[in-house]
């Protein structure tokens, strides 16, 4: 028997009004869990204030319908994170800390995207762990939240992509060379002709294929420039 965890802990500095909006979101979850109906449900929604209504306007007859999509499982609205709100450096800001050992990555990211506009772009990291040393039970990732959306990155994807990556056809890593009896290997520069390596023009594969190779005593050849150079 083994237990898996998703650990995360980070803090974000936001405006006081945004912190109030996050606190209202926690209150909204409590109201939803009470399973209020009819006018009682509407009153609970209205009590959260106009800022909450602006951030999560209803998209159906249920007043909380605009809030529910932040959760991966709309039938189980839970942030899966402990949230603490403390005073910031001045009266206009608050420091909000999110932490947990079964951390709600997606719902917390969605909440920040909706409620913490002043802090964007922001990001946080998480760790996927196991209390037993089992193969492939460890990893993690990062979430980048920007004004135009949310990007999710995992160590599993990083490793998989690195192992399966093919040379990028559009990366400028080719140089045109010719060999000179006196100066040795020379490298083409679009402005100055053949010269030293430091001034060489880099070409993509597509550019090299369409390039009109100049005439030289030694027939020019394309060479791949080593990674990290020049």
């Amino acid at each position: 028997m083994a237990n898996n965890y998703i650990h995360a802990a980070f803090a974000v500095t936001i405006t006081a009004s945004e912190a109030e909006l996050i606190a209202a979101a926690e209150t909204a979850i409590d109201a939803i869990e009470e399973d209020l109906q009819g006018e009682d449900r509407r009153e609970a929604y209205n009590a959260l204030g106009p800022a909450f209504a602006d951030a999560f306007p209803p998209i159906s007859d249920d007043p909380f319908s605009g809030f529910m999509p932040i959760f991966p499982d709309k039938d189980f609205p839970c942030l899966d994170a402990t949230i603490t709100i403390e005073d910031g450096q001045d009266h206009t800001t608050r420091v909000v800390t999110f932490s947990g050992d079964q951390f709600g990555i997606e719902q917390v990211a969605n909440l920040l995207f909706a409620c913490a506009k002043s802090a964007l772009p922001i990001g946080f990291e998480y760790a996927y762990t196991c209390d037993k040393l089992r193969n492939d039970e460890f990893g993690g990732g990062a979430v980048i939240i920007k004004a135009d959306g949310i990007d999710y990155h995992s160590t599993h994807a990083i490793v998989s992509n690195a192992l399966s990556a093919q040379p990028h056809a559009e990366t400028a890593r080719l140089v045109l060379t010719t060999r000179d009896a006196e100066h040795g290997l020379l490298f083409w520069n679009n402005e100055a002709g053949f010269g030293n390596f430091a001034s060489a023009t880099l070409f993509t594969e597509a550019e090299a294929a369409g390039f009109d190779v100049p005439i030289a005593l030694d027939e020019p050849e394309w060479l791949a420039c080593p990674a990290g150079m020049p």
Side-chain angles (χ1 to χ4, degrees), residues 188-209:
W188 177 259
N189 176 282
N190 284 339
E191 301 297 327
F194 286 107
N196 59 39
F197 177 72
S199 62
T201 298
L202 294 177
F203 293 81
T204 66
E205 290 187 12
E207 290 170 339

Side-chain angles (χ1 to χ4, degrees), residues 49-129:
F52 185 87
D54 288 341
F56 304 105
I59 55 177
S60 72
D61 292 338
D62 179 4
F64 289 103
S65 57
F67 178 60
M68 299 302 289
I70 77 167
F71 304 101
D73 185 349
K74 297 178 183 179
D75 295 325
F76 188 65
C78 182
L79 289 171
D80 290 327
T82 298
I83 301 175
T84 59
I85 301 176
E86 300 176 313
D87 290 338
Q89 293 184 344
D90 56 59
H91 70 281
T92 66
T93 62
R94 300 289 184 271
V95 178
V96 184
T97 299
F98 298 82
S99 61
D101 57 15
Q102 291 293 0
F103 197 78
I105 299 167
E106 185 175 347
Q107 51 266 54
V108 169
N110 289 334
L111 181 69
L112 287 170
F113 179 73
C115 301
K117 299 296 187 183
S118 71
L120 302 182
I122 54 178
F124 64 86
E125 300 170 69
Y126 61 90
Y128 183 78
T129 66

Side-chain angles (χ1 to χ4, degrees), residues 11-212:
V12 179
T13 298
I14 58 179
T15 67
S17 59
E18 289 171 337
E20 292 174 359
L21 186 55
I22 288 176
E26 291 191 284
T27 302
I29 293 173
D30 293 337
I32 293 169
E33 289 179 343
E34 291 181 20
D35 198 25
L36 301 173
Q37 301 297 322
E39 190 59 31
D40 290 338
R41 194 172 179 88
R42 171 62 64 178
E43 289 179 0
Y45 176 82
N46 292 337
L48 297 172
F52 185 87
D54 288 341
F56 304 105
I59 55 177
S60 72
D61 292 338
D62 179 4
F64 289 103
S65 57
F67 178 60
M68 299 302 289
I70 77 167
F71 304 101
D73 185 349
K74 297 178 183 179
D75 295 325
F76 188 65
C78 182
L79 289 171
D80 290 327
T82 298
I83 301 175
T84 59
I85 301 176
E86 300 176 313
D87 290 338
Q89 293 184 344
D90 56 59
H91 70 281
T92 66
T93 62
R94 300 289 184 271
V95 178
V96 184
T97 299
F98 298 82
S99 61
D101 57 15
Q102 291 293 0
F103 197 78
I105 299 167
E106 185 175 347
Q107 51 266 54
V108 169
N110 289 334
L111 181 69
L112 287 170
F113 179 73
C115 301
K117 299 296 187 183
S118 71
L120 302 182
I122 54 178
F124 64 86
E125 300 170 69
Y126 61 90
Y128 183 78
T129 66
C130 180
D131 60 5
K132 294 188 181 299
L133 297 177
R134 291 186 169 182
N135 295 340
D136 302 320
E137 293 288 345
F138 296 84
V143 181
I144 307 300
I145 308 166
K146 298 181 288 188
D148 59 352
I150 304 172
D151 294 325
Y152 296 90
H153 306 272
S154 71
T155 56
H156 176 77
I158 292 170
V159 172
S160 296
N161 291 341
L163 293 176
S164 62
Q166 298 296 321
H168 198 297
E170 292 305 313
T171 300
R173 303 305 307 173
L174 296 178
V175 290
L176 184 63
T177 68
T178 187
R179 190 169 298 277
D180 181 80
E182 181 179 354
H183 300 288
L185 199 61
L186 299 178
F187 302 84
W188 177 259
N189 176 282
N190 284 339
E191 301 297 327
F194 286 107
N196 59 39
F197 177 72
S199 62
T201 298
L202 294 177
F203 293 81
T204 66
E205 290 187 12
E207 290 170 339
F211 185 68
D212 187 10

